Amino acid sequence: MKKLIAKWFAWPKTAASQEDERLAHVYSDGRQIWDSDGYSLHALDIAAGKSGRVTVSEAGLFQVDEADDIPPFTAALPQGEPVAAIVVSAENLKQAAAGQEGCVRLSLYRDNQALELSSGGKYALVMPATDVAEWQFWRPASDVK
């Protein structure tokens, strides 16, 4: 379990800010944990039960230290319905993005069509996955308790 928690914790930490101390930590609002650098946001569906800064204890468990200065991460979540959505394999998307450089343009054409990635001299097309149930997708809760 210790390795699994370390793996779970490592992913949101990749979105931590190096310039802004306030965004240099993983946080919990009690229902989910998240981290952001102001440009990207990573959140996990892990109910820590308390609000504050999240660390991993010596025993390898999530530890939440209460804090009053939690940035309002839900303000960054898009509102309303998406203009277009497709479902792709995470592995195929990682492979396509790994070869890109600098800024990458993601192009969506319609529901259930391919996702196009392009950057300076590089192009990738990721085909959509089909027959994937809606319950398999989680989104951070945006209402504040």
Side-chain angles (χ1 to χ4, degrees):
M1 187 63 157
K2 197 173 186 177
K3 284 183 181 180
L4 183 58
I5 289 174
K7 181 180 175 184
W8 286 344
F9 187 72
W11 182 70
K13 279 298 285 180
T14 61
S17 174
Q18 303 301 312
E19 291 84 38
D20 185 342
E21 171 61 25
R22 195 168 163 222
L23 297 177
H25 309 281
V26 174
Y27 291 96
S28 168
D29 67 356
R31 297 174 296 165
Q32 57 231 341
I33 65 172
W34 62 274
D35 202 348
S36 176
D37 60 5
Y39 299 99
S40 61
L41 176 113
H42 294 177
L44 289 171
D45 188 14
I46 295 175
K50 295 190 320 187
S51 294
R53 290 183 179 172
V54 179
T55 56
V56 176
S57 71
E58 298 249 345
L61 302 174
F62 287 116
Q63 177 176 312
V64 180
D65 299 319
E66 291 189 34
D68 294 332
D69 63 341
I70 299 174
F73 87 98
T74 58
L77 295 175
Q79 301 301 309
E81 294 298 315
V83 173
I86 62 168
V87 176
V88 297
S89 154
E91 191 58 38
N92 289 349
L93 183 57
K94 282 188 249 179
Q95 290 171 357
Q100 304 292 326
E101 295 177 14
C103 291
V104 177
R105 182 177 60 207
L106 302 175
S107 300
L108 297 169
Y109 291 94
R110 287 192 186 156
D111 289 350
N112 284 331
Q113 287 194 6
L115 172 64
E116 185 178 66
L117 292 84
S118 57
S119 63
K122 296 189 176 186
Y123 177 88
L125 194 63
V126 180
M127 296 304 180
T130 58
D131 299 325
V132 181
E134 187 63 33
W135 63 264
Q136 293 179 296
F137 302 98
W138 173 80
R139 186 175 195 265
S142 60
D143 58 318
V144 180
K145 286 188 174 183

